[in-house]
Amino acid sequence: MSAKKKYSYNIEAQDIDFRRRVSLRSLTNMVLMTAGRNADENGFGLLELQTEHYTWVLSRLVIDMDRFPTEQDSLSIETWIEHVGTAFTTRNFRMRDGAGTVIGHAKSSWAVIDMRTRRSVQLDSIPSMQQFVVDETVPVEEPGRIANVEGAGANSFTVKYSEIDVNGHVNSLNYVQWVSDCFSLDFYRQHYIRRFEINFLKEITYGDSGEVYRQMIAPEDYLFQIETKEKGTACRARILFEKVANKEAGK
């Protein structure tokens, strides 16, 4: 058991996009896998909680990257719990490439819910978490509330079997994919993702359908709102891009 631990990942073919860089979905997956592996090793992982009819749910996440890894890279992610509150816990991440250079950070907020009532439970029900708190932050702001979006529809979805996870709702990565798919290949040829934020508000379940609305609030800065016909606003997100020319010039 370790309060602070590093996990290594090889970049596989399924992790990269057409530019041969790790996709936002794949990077988010590695961050979430890191959180799960560390929680498992420390005795309060998903399967352990489910024996008591509890489960972890991701509330908010922010990822801030200097650069995304490429197919030639490996990636290591260090993680630790910074804070345990009444209803939410904050978990931090630090990303390094194969040379050991820090290339990004992430910060996340998690809650525990009762799988029978779908309501949150107080985290003092897991007292062992306190012994894994590390008083160390990362240079990323706390994931905050994203404003209401007043944009046009940019993507649509209907939830199918493959999008449902062990908690019985849409896997977090599908939200990331729905948002990522709001842009063309030409747009991605000209832009890198600098920062990604997401707020989860309501569960989306099998058969739900809806749209992703997109609003540009500044050049290269976009807000998203995932609306379902059945439940209303289920999620909001933000992606801050950087133009390829600017990124290359900063090397």
Side-chain angles (χ1 to χ4, degrees):
M1 295 191 299
S2 175
K4 188 176 180 184
K5 192 167 181 182
K6 182 167 63 176
Y7 300 85
S8 297
Y9 301 92
N10 292 321
I11 307 302
E12 307 288 350
Q14 66 269 19
D15 298 319
I16 58 175
D17 64 13
F18 73 100
R19 303 167 300 176
R20 300 185 179 275
R21 292 184 178 274
V22 170
S23 68
L24 179 60
R25 178 187 172 115
S26 293
L27 181 65
T28 304
N29 186 40
M30 292 175 190
V31 168
L32 298 185
M33 283 197 301
T34 298
R37 291 170 67 180
N38 191 242
D40 286 340
E41 291 175 10
N42 292 339
F44 43 84
L46 181 67
L47 296 182
E48 182 69 24
L49 288 189
Q50 287 187 342
T51 63
E52 302 295 330
H53 304 289
Y54 295 152
T55 191
W56 284 110
V57 291
L58 179 62
S59 175
R60 294 177 179 180
L61 172 69
V62 54
I63 299 175
D64 193 276
M65 300 296 293
D66 292 331
R67 73 172 185 86
F68 274 59
T70 67
E71 63 179 339
Q72 287 87 19
D73 281 326
S74 60
L75 178 69
S76 67
I77 305 179
E78 188 176 27
T79 188
W80 64 96
I81 295 171
E82 181 182 355
H83 173 72
V84 178
T86 302
F88 296 95
T89 180
T90 300
R91 177 178 283 278
N92 295 335
F93 306 86
R94 181 178 292 118
M95 279 81 88
R96 289 184 170 89
D97 62 17
T101 302
V102 175
I103 59 172
H105 297 89
K107 189 179 284 279
S108 58
S109 178
W110 300 78
V112 173
I113 64 168
D114 188 313
M115 296 179 68
R116 296 161 294 191
T117 65
R118 313 306 286 184
R119 294 183 177 180
S120 62
V121 299
Q122 293 190 350
L123 290 178
D124 58 11
S125 61
I126 318 173
S128 61
M129 285 184 61
Q130 292 289 350
Q131 65 182 294
F132 295 102
V133 173
V134 177
D135 185 18
E136 181 180 343
T137 190
V138 291
V140 178
E141 299 172 8
E142 291 281 345
R145 179 183 178 277
I146 297 173
N148 188 57
V149 174
E150 299 179 354
N155 196 9
S156 60
F157 61 89
T158 298
V159 177
K160 300 178 178 64
Y161 151 77
S162 62
E163 296 165 316
I164 301 298
D165 66 14
V166 71
N167 289 327
H169 58 209
V170 170
N171 186 286
S172 303
L173 299 177
N174 288 291
Y175 296 77
V176 178
Q177 182 164 318
W178 294 336
V179 168
S180 300
D181 286 345
C182 288
F183 300 93
S184 69
L185 293 186
D186 283 341
F187 183 91
Y188 279 111
R189 288 188 183 100
Q190 299 172 39
H191 294 84
Y192 292 104
I193 293 174
R194 181 70 176 83
R195 182 183 177 93
F196 170 69
E197 304 175 42
I198 191 164
N199 294 177
F200 296 96
L201 304 174
K202 294 179 183 177
E203 292 182 299
I204 299 179
T205 54
Y206 180 80
D208 288 348
S209 59
E211 287 200 58
V212 183
Y213 295 90
R214 181 183 67 189
Q215 177 186 4
M216 187 175 73
I217 58 173
E220 284 72 64
D221 197 349
Y222 293 84
L223 297 182
F224 306 86
Q225 189 157 297
I226 297 177
E227 292 271 349
T228 69
K229 297 175 182 177
E230 297 78 11
K231 302 180 178 74
T233 303
C235 175
R236 294 191 181 102
R238 176 191 176 207
I239 301 181
L240 176 63
F241 291 95
E242 186 171 344
K243 287 189 175 179
V244 169
N246 294 344
K247 193 74 174 178
E248 296 296 335
K251 283 187 175 180

